[in-house]
């Protein structure tokens, strides 16, 4: 397995000012970093990719679906806008040199209809994501759609729903992102969920139930890694933790109190957990 660290701990837009973190993460034992794609131009990410390569790191990327764009909408214009956003994110990921683009790129965060997903919405999403996956294939890029817990979205919440969407899209470079935080809420048995859907898992986020330091809370990472190893998973396990330093992100992720004393506590604690349980 490969060990990654999500830069959202520090910023929603990585620039040269954040480069000192790269060397620290490399020294700590990480293989790569996950770069948020929330804004910016392709050329910016090409330069960032070269900077990462100079540090001996590789990359994955993460994006969300902005408001006014939705792969699940009945409105063709909103679905077209969603595909346009994914095209931009794929181009940025390719420039970055990333091998995975992940995130909840099905619907905007925090939008609800008062019911669960309809069959029509699932069909719309599968159509948009199938087209996006075929575009991403030209960049040798895997798309990993992220289910979120029921308090953050309504369309995609469980491992079973995610595996069904992956089957409907039916592209070899399309899977789903398994996140230990969201599934601590939505799944009764995380190892069982992994075993049942391993063929659809394209990426893994290691995140504590509090969103703080992995290993300091309730998630059974030993069981998660055992399930991944037993199923033969060899991809990324990437740490995702959030603090209160970024007000907009803290509000979006409902972080209202300090969850750790320093970023070092997070990335050093996390790598210790990962190396302890991964092969």
């Amino acid at each position: 397995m490969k060990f990654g660290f999500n830069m959202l701990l520090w910023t929603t837009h990585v620039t040269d000012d954040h480069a000192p973190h790269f060397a620290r993460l490399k020294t700590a034992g990480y293989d790569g970093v996950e770069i948020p794609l929330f804004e910016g131009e392709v050329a910016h990410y090409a330069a960032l990719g070269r900077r990462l390569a100079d540090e001996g790191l590789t990359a994955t990327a993460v994006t969300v679906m902005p408001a006014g764009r939705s792969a699940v909408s009945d409105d063709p214009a909103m679905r077209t806008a969603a595909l346009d956003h994914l095209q931009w994110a794929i181009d940025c990921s390719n420039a970055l040199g990333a091998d995975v683009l992940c995130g909840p790129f099905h619907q905007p965060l925090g939008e609800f209809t008062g019911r669960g997903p309809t069959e029509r919405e699932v069909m719309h999403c599968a159509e948009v994501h199938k087209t996006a996956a075929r575009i991403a294939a030209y960049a040798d890029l895997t798309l990993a759609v992220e289910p979120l817990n029921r308090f953050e979205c309504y369309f995609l919440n469980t491992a079973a729903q995610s595996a069904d969407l992956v089957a409907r899209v039916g592209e070899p470079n399309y899977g789903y992102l398994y996140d230990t935080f969201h599934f601590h809420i939505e799944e009764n048995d995380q190892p069982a969920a992994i075993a049942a859907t391993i063929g659809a898992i394209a990426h893994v986020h290691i995140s504590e139930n509090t969103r703080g330091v992995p290993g300091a809370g309730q998630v059974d990472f030993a069981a998660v890694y055992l399930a991944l190893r037993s199923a033969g998973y060899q991809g990324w396990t990437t740490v995702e933790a959030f603090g209160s330093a970024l007000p907009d992100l803290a509000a979006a992720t409902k972080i209202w109190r300090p969850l750790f004393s320093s970023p070092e506590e997070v990335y050093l604690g996390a790598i210790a957990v990962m190396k302890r349980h991964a092969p």
Side-chain angles (χ1 to χ4, degrees):
M1 296 183 204
K2 294 179 287 187
F3 302 141
F5 198 91
N6 193 313
M7 292 295 292
L8 284 171
L9 184 67
W10 291 283
T11 183
T12 58
H13 185 57
V14 180
T15 67
D16 283 344
D17 291 341
H18 304 102
H21 298 304
F22 300 157
R24 297 182 189 117
L25 291 170
K26 178 66 176 179
T27 298
Y30 289 94
D31 302 300
V33 296
E34 193 152 276
I35 301 295
L37 303 180
F38 293 178
E39 61 181 285
E41 303 297 327
V42 170
H44 170 80
Y45 292 102
L48 187 58
R50 291 191 292 271
R51 186 67 178 264
L52 288 171
D54 288 344
E55 296 288 352
L57 293 166
T58 54
T60 59
V62 59
T63 194
V64 298
M65 190 56 67
R69 306 172 185 233
S70 176
V72 310
S73 176
D74 259 346
D75 183 348
M78 289 190 71
R79 298 199 303 275
T80 297
L83 185 59
D84 288 343
H85 175 74
L86 287 171
Q87 173 74 74
W88 167 82
I90 289 165
D91 290 343
C92 292
S93 298
N94 186 37
L96 182 64
D99 58 355
V100 174
L101 170 62
C102 68
F105 44 71
H106 38 84
Q107 65 157 109
L109 299 175
E111 292 188 3
F112 297 92
T113 62
R115 50 163 173 72
T118 66
E119 174 64 19
R120 189 173 179 86
E121 287 173 327
V122 177
M123 290 175 61
H124 286 326
C125 187
E127 180 181 4
V128 171
H129 285 187
K130 188 178 190 70
T131 301
R134 288 179 172 177
I135 295 169
Y138 291 105
D140 292 324
L141 184 69
T142 294
L143 300 186
V145 66
E146 181 175 14
L148 305 178
N149 69 77
R150 75 195 83 161
F151 307 108
E152 296 184 33
C153 83
Y154 75 93
F155 177 73
L156 201 63
N157 301 131
T158 70
Q161 287 176 314
S162 304
D164 175 69
L165 180 60
V166 171
R168 289 172 185 249
V169 171
E171 295 295 327
N173 65 322
Y174 182 89
Y176 87 91
L177 162 59
Y178 187 99
D179 187 301
T180 59
F181 166 79
H182 295 297
F183 286 159
H184 181 76
I185 298 171
E186 297 297 339
E187 297 291 342
N188 293 329
D189 185 332
Q190 292 216 46
I194 291 168
T197 62
I198 188 62
I201 296 174
H203 195 50
V204 174
H205 271 177
I206 297 301
S207 190
E208 191 53 89
N209 70 289
T210 60
R211 291 293 205 184
V213 183
Q218 298 177 6
V219 175
D220 188 347
F221 289 108
V224 167
Y225 270 102
L226 177 59
L228 291 170
R229 292 200 318 268
S230 298
Y233 180 78
Q234 293 296 319
W236 287 98
T237 57
T238 295
V239 179
E240 185 180 56
F242 300 128
S244 55
L246 304 171
D248 290 344
L249 184 60
T253 54
K254 310 300 186 288
I255 304 298
W256 312 126
R257 66 187 191 279
L259 299 176
F260 43 83
S261 60
S262 68
E264 290 77 13
E265 181 186 5
V266 180
Y267 66 74
L268 294 176
I271 196 70
V273 168
M274 298 163 86
K275 289 190 171 182
R276 185 182 312 132
H277 299 305

